[in-house]
Amino acid sequence: MVSHTPPGGNGRAAYLGELAGLIWPEPATPALRRGGTGWVVVPSAARPRLLVPTGSGRAAANAVRHSTEAVGRKARLVRQGLAATFRLGLGPLVFRDRVAVTGAGLDAYLTEVLGERVMVSMHIGPARANRKPVLQLLAPDGRALGYAKLGVDPLTRALVDAEAAALHRLADLPLGPVTVADVRHHGVWHGHALLVQEALPVRLPRAAPATAVAAEQAAMVAVAGCLGVRREAWAASGHAARLSGAVDALGPRPEAERLRAVVKSVAEAGPTVAIGAWHGDWNGGNSAVLADGRVLVWDWERFEADVPAGYDALHRSVQTAIGNHGVDPTEAARALVAGADRTLAPFDSEGRDADLVAVLYLVELAARYLRDRQAEAGVRLGHVDTWLLPAVEEHLARRAR
């Protein structure tokens, strides 16, 4: 894509060109320019966060509203103001950079698949190994038609296909208050895995914070039990074999050797644990508790059965502590293990080895980060040797004394 963005940029700027080439591949020709028609780059091509379609103020405003979950009052006010700017038709005047496209791309294909005109909008996130194009699909009148995910490399193709399989599976399972999206289309486009799912009603009134906490916990319990829950000796479980295999697959790197020692220590401790299922990445950015009691949950690409029950609650806790509250990662990992008995009580009332379940969760997370090469992609938490491993090893050393 022709670009006037200075070289180097901030990672997102470079990704903008890559993204445009994926959504509008040859023979289409996307180009970055100042003013005119095309997708508005917010706030600029040098610091892109969002691509907003033009031609419909209502669709553009809803593209902003649905772009991400705004965390905090200030973020919500900023998003509301930005949406109003586009609704009034002022967005293209305020933000001058455009992605202009000659020819047809994924938006044209989705129009054909869904049987009505599709306008696309895209949030441009930070660098991650599993970063992939995620498109909001909007009708010209502003209606949300769904979301499309495009898997463009071995990791993201596997994740997109895994989410499609998970959504089909979850559609027939008892999930209590949890609502998941239906699959509208799953296939291959230009060699990439493509998943289109319906838009969940995220703009409906939300539950009060105190109510939301209890509802979300009940939703996690429902997911943990959707395929049944059983208690068994962890060392002899399928999960133990699978986790050990995941660590072994990391090869001889120093972090892997330390993880093997942790897994061996847990096995020797002989915990008996409840085994269930988990969403795999439950956080505040992919769930919403509605005032009517429903809990909307999306991004099911890492859904998995046969894991210790309560993994979702542990993940939500540590990710919130680090990402939302700014807790030092090592301290957050230590607190997670120390408070695991309270976190896991709703999932396993008989459990006496909650701290070891938390340790296993952290091993699972470390293996994922290392396998996906998150550190190499620039993700701070991908350096598990600087925060996760020290917390786990310190706890096991104290426990052995």
Side-chain angles (χ1 to χ4, degrees):
M1 182 175 74
V2 178
S3 172
H4 60 251
T5 304
N10 62 359
R12 296 188 202 225
Y15 183 58
L16 176 60
E18 178 185 343
L19 181 63
L22 290 168
I23 304 306
W24 296 284
E26 294 181 349
T29 54
L32 189 64
R33 60 183 57 153
R34 293 285 289 179
T37 60
W39 279 258
V40 178
V41 185
V42 179
S44 70
R47 297 180 294 111
R49 295 294 186 275
L50 188 64
L51 286 185
V52 179
T54 55
S56 167
R58 183 173 295 181
N62 282 346
V64 173
R65 291 193 190 97
H66 293 266
S67 60
T68 58
E69 282 290 295
V71 178
R73 182 172 181 272
K74 181 179 178 181
R76 287 192 293 270
L77 290 174
V78 169
R79 188 173 63 180
Q80 289 170 8
L82 186 59
T85 299
F86 277 95
R87 186 179 66 252
L88 295 171
L90 301 176
L93 300 177
V94 176
F95 305 103
R96 301 296 296 159
D97 287 339
R98 305 280 189 273
V99 172
V101 180
T102 301
L106 182 54
D107 48 343
Y109 177 76
L110 293 172
T111 292
E112 180 182 346
V113 165
L114 299 184
E116 61 180 308
R117 186 186 171 196
V118 173
M119 304 178 76
V120 300
S121 174
M122 286 161 278
H123 171 70
I124 302 172
R128 295 185 300 165
N130 55 326
R131 181 165 63 175
K132 57 190 172 295
V134 178
L135 290 71
Q136 297 182 74
L137 313 182
L138 300 154
D141 62 7
R143 286 178 296 117
L145 301 177
Y147 287 85
K149 294 185 177 183
L150 204 60
V152 298
D153 55 37
L155 172 59
T156 57
R157 279 195 293 271
L159 291 173
V160 168
D161 289 338
E163 182 166 16
L167 290 175
H168 283 302
R169 187 179 191 185
L170 290 162
D172 298 321
L173 295 177
L175 295 173
V178 175
T179 298
V180 302
D182 289 333
V183 174
R184 301 196 64 184
H185 176 75
H186 177 224
V188 177
W189 180 77
H190 280 258
H192 307 311
L194 174 64
L195 170 63
V196 182
Q197 50 192 288
E198 69 172 346
L200 293 173
V202 296
R203 306 314 303 170
L204 291 179
R206 301 292 179 91
T211 304
V213 171
E216 188 174 54
Q217 182 182 86
M220 290 179 181
V221 171
V223 170
C226 68
L227 294 168
V229 177
R230 64 187 184 278
R231 288 184 58 77
E232 61 186 67
W234 181 78
S237 70
H239 178 260
R242 192 168 68 251
L243 183 59
S244 296
V247 173
D248 285 341
L250 297 173
R253 57 189 302 165
E255 303 97 324
E257 294 297 333
R258 293 167 68 180
L259 287 172
R260 291 185 188 96
V262 170
V263 171
K264 182 173 183 291
S265 295
V266 173
E268 290 173 349
T272 297
V273 303
I275 298 292
W278 75 316
H279 170 277
D281 189 23
W282 198 311
N283 59 66
N286 55 29
S287 62
V289 181
L290 301 183
D292 63 12
R294 286 181 292 168
V295 182
L296 312 179
V297 186
W298 54 96
D299 290 347
W300 290 88
E301 58 196 22
R302 296 188 186 274
F303 174 75
E304 194 173 17
D306 295 324
V307 301
Y311 262 19
D312 277 326
L314 293 167
H315 188 78
R316 178 74 157 102
S317 177
V318 74
Q319 296 294 327
T320 299
I322 297 171
N324 292 7
H325 304 317
V327 178
D328 173 77
T330 305
E331 292 304 317
R334 288 172 178 151
L336 185 77
V337 176
D341 54 345
R342 296 186 299 276
T343 304
L344 295 176
F347 301 87
D348 183 11
S349 58
E350 300 177 30
R352 293 183 297 275
D353 298 302
D355 62 320
L356 294 180
V357 173
V359 167
L360 291 172
Y361 156 73
L362 289 169
V363 171
E364 191 107 38
L365 189 66
R368 175 190 297 181
Y369 283 168
L370 293 171
R371 179 182 64 246
D372 293 352
R373 303 181 67 84
Q374 294 287 8
E376 290 84 343
V379 178
R380 178 176 62 122
L381 295 182
H383 298 277
V384 298
D385 56 321
T386 66
W387 68 281
L388 187 154
L389 277 166
V392 165
E393 290 165 342
E394 289 167 11
H395 176 77
L396 292 176
R398 287 193 301 270
R399 203 179 197 273
R401 288 199 285 268

